[in-house]
Amino acid sequence: MSEAFIRQTTAGFSLAGDTEKFLTLPGGGAVGFALGAEYRKERNGRTTDPLVKAGLTNQAATQDYEGGYDVTEFFGELSVPILTDMPFFQLLSIEGAVRHADYSHAGQATSWKAGAIWEPTDGLRLRATISRAIRAPNIFEAFRPSEGQTTNVNDPCAQTNLGLNPNRAANCAALGRPAGFTPLNGGVGVPFIVSGNQDLSPEVSDSWTAGIVLTPNFLPGLQISADWFNIEIDDAISFLSPQQIAENCVDRAGGPDLELCSLITRESNTASPNFFGITTGNSTYVNTSKLETSGLDTQLFYALPLGGGRISTNLAFTYLHRLRTYTFQSRPDLFTVLEGFYGYPKYKGVVGLTYSNGPLTLGWQGRYQSSQALTDISPGISRELLSPDRTGSRFYNDISASYTLSMNGRQEAKFSFGVTNLFNEKLPVMESVQVIDPSGGGFEQFGPVIRAGLEVNF
């Protein structure tokens, strides 16, 4: 048995408006602005039953923990219409925002955004944005309680492992490895401390987008947009196992990774039979990872009157050009390719059709995802023998209907009905593989799911 708590305290103020009463730009108009400040205090923890804490039950022993931080933030935003209603400049505007945060556990960090919109003629709009975002370490990453465990570590500096990476020999020698080194106990039962890391710094994300929006005058109700996105996250927080720490301490080009090497303690007594062997270590969270992704998002929406009601269609389509993760950003040669791997289709889309007429609404939605690999597609990875080794492309159909009934002029009753995955479309995967809902809403249901409901508003 355990008890957990979460506490949050917030305070802040903001001011928003424009300069219409005291400043307007000659070719544009009033400048919009917003500014403010916020203080937030977060704290959570867990208290565990003494028997569980002592490892005397059938549950894994867990320890109490409590941690928290406070953050003070200041922010400001501007929207500046430079030109409006001019030839080739129906609109030209720029915007910017900045937020500075001071975290008690992670130091200071600043996020910002800058963007521009240019509308050279009615119905054509170009837009672009660059930004920097941050994520501070959460409470568990920073304050996870220390717990001891023993584990096996295959020492990368051992004589039998030295040739498995071209950088190991030089890096192990730089750390003081003796010739012919072989761990005394073979790396079995090495004590490690698993804990949080209060020295973590915020993750940093740099991104840019550029796109176009079309709303042609000759076809009212139609809107088409397309945006290319590019995102890179540096200093991402990862939890490292003892084996990962030991290997990547000495596998980096240009010398040992001193941050990772500091998490391992080796025998320093030259008279000891286990000289240079790993004696203890700390398995923890480190700002060591990286993520890169890019792709294209497109949307189409069109609506028009039909039969006394209104029919609309929408299409959202994404092309995932690149999605790569690097467990160690100092090792750009080691990365995982995710675009096209199971759960990350290179092409996916949602198309919908809705008809509404008074109290009646009818809808259909189709969800598409392209074929995905069931084995690791990263370079240098041996392929597992699976049959089939790809999912094949899939298309799911959903339908819905609702009817709203007015009662006494003030009450309403809404009847709804829907079927998800109408034709029982399934991914051809092994039972041991988790099947992810392509809409991102959990596990894909095996078989149609029927929903019916009644909502009454008084």
Side-chain angles (χ1 to χ4, degrees):
M1 176 180 176
S2 65
E3 294 183 356
F5 70 88
I6 300 174
R7 302 192 191 104
Q8 184 185 71
T9 304
T10 62
F13 82 91
S14 62
L15 176 66
D18 61 50
T19 63
E20 182 178 5
K21 293 185 177 181
F22 57 88
L23 175 65
T24 56
L25 300 181
V31 176
F33 66 88
L35 55 88
E38 181 178 301
Y39 171 81
R40 189 172 72 254
K41 185 175 183 179
E42 308 272 0
R43 196 158 194 87
N44 67 41
R46 181 189 64 214
T47 302
T48 305
D49 185 278
L51 296 178
V52 177
K53 194 184 307 181
L56 300 178
T57 69
N58 59 358
Q59 301 181 38
T62 57
Q63 303 300 311
D64 297 344
Y65 88 92
E66 182 175 338
Y69 64 88
D70 59 81
V71 55
T72 303
E73 297 180 306
F74 300 92
F75 64 88
E77 301 180 20
L78 282 178
S79 177
V80 184
I82 300 175
L83 297 172
T84 59
D85 300 324
M86 298 179 64
F88 301 108
F89 291 98
Q90 292 298 310
L91 174 65
L92 177 63
S93 68
I94 59 174
E95 61 180 14
V98 63
R99 178 180 291 261
H100 181 76
D102 188 356
Y103 293 90
S104 61
H105 71 312
Q108 300 186 37
T110 301
S111 57
W112 53 267
K113 180 185 78 170
I117 296 174
W118 176 35
E119 190 173 333
T121 185
D122 287 340
L124 172 61
R125 175 172 292 194
L126 305 176
R127 58 191 181 188
T129 303
I130 58 173
S131 64
R132 165 165 290 188
I134 61 170
R135 186 188 78 86
N138 63 40
I139 294 175
F140 192 73
E141 291 167 340
F143 301 102
R144 178 178 178 175
S146 298
E147 298 176 340
Q149 63 175 228
T150 57
T151 187
N152 299 335
V153 181
N154 190 9
D155 196 327
C157 289
Q159 186 67 36
T160 55
N161 298 326
L162 209 59
L164 298 180
N165 182 279
N167 304 312
R168 280 188 185 177
N171 289 339
C172 289
L175 294 176
R177 174 191 182 274
F181 165 69
T182 299
L184 183 64
N185 62 353
V188 176
V190 178
F192 261 72
I193 299 296
V194 177
S195 69
N197 184 357
Q198 297 186 38
D199 293 326
L200 290 170
S201 58
E203 298 177 341
V204 178
S205 168
D206 290 310
S207 62
W208 61 266
T209 64
I212 184 173
V213 181
L214 298 174
T215 53
N217 295 329
F218 60 84
L219 201 56
L222 175 65
Q223 178 173 303
I224 303 173
S225 66
D227 292 276
W228 185 269
F229 62 86
N230 189 90
I231 304 170
E232 181 176 313
I233 301 176
D234 294 312
D235 295 330
I237 298 172
S238 293
F239 182 82
L240 301 183
S241 69
Q243 191 66 48
Q244 288 177 310
I245 294 171
E247 291 180 357
N248 288 277
C249 160
V250 294
D251 284 355
R252 187 181 71 171
D257 189 319
L258 298 182
E259 181 182 11
L260 297 183
C261 294
S262 67
L263 300 176
I264 296 175
T265 301
R266 292 183 175 273
E267 175 59 65
S268 59
N269 183 3
T270 56
S272 169
N274 192 39
F275 171 58
F276 199 70
I278 297 176
T279 56
T280 61
N282 186 13
S283 185
T284 187
Y285 300 87
V286 182
N287 291 101
T288 187
S289 301
K290 180 179 181 177
L291 180 144
E292 296 176 343
T293 186
S294 60
L296 179 69
D297 280 332
T298 61
Q299 289 188 326
L300 179 150
F301 178 81
Y302 183 54
L304 72 161
L306 180 66
R310 182 175 182 265
I311 189 170
S312 63
T313 183
N314 66 280
L315 170 66
F317 181 81
T318 297
Y319 163 58
L320 184 60
H321 172 69
R322 181 184 182 92
L323 179 57
R324 309 283 171 89
T325 60
Y326 301 77
T327 304
F328 301 94
Q329 57 191 4
S330 61
R331 298 285 308 279
D333 57 314
L334 295 179
F335 57 88
T336 300
V337 175
L338 292 178
E339 72 271 11
F341 181 62
Y342 188 71
Y344 306 94
K346 287 186 71 70
Y347 305 95
K348 66 178 181 179
V350 177
V351 59
L353 190 65
T354 302
Y355 177 73
S356 58
N357 190 340
L360 176 66
T361 300
L362 303 174
W364 165 81
Q365 177 179 266
R367 296 175 282 128
Y368 168 80
Q369 56 177 332
S370 60
S371 182
Q372 300 144 62
L374 294 174
T375 58
D376 195 332
I377 55 178
S378 304
I381 301 296
S382 59
R383 302 293 183 261
E384 299 178 18
L385 298 179
L386 288 180
S387 183
D389 63 353
R390 298 190 67 83
T391 65
S393 60
R394 285 295 180 270
F395 193 88
Y396 299 83
N397 289 270
D398 309 327
I399 59 173
S400 62
S402 67
Y403 189 86
T404 302
L405 179 65
S406 296
M407 301 180 296
N408 301 326
R410 292 184 299 175
Q411 300 175 348
E412 286 186 347
K414 182 178 181 180
F415 303 89
S416 61
F417 174 82
V419 181
T420 301
N421 194 11
L422 180 64
F423 300 116
N424 192 22
E425 186 69 33
K426 300 176 182 178
L427 289 175
V429 298
M430 300 172 62
E431 290 182 357
S432 61
V433 180
Q434 283 186 338
V435 180
I436 306 299
D437 180 349
S439 68
F443 296 111
E444 176 60 35
Q445 299 88 356
F446 286 87
V449 176
I450 301 174
R451 309 180 309 277
L454 169 63
E455 178 183 335
V456 179
N457 299 317
F458 295 94

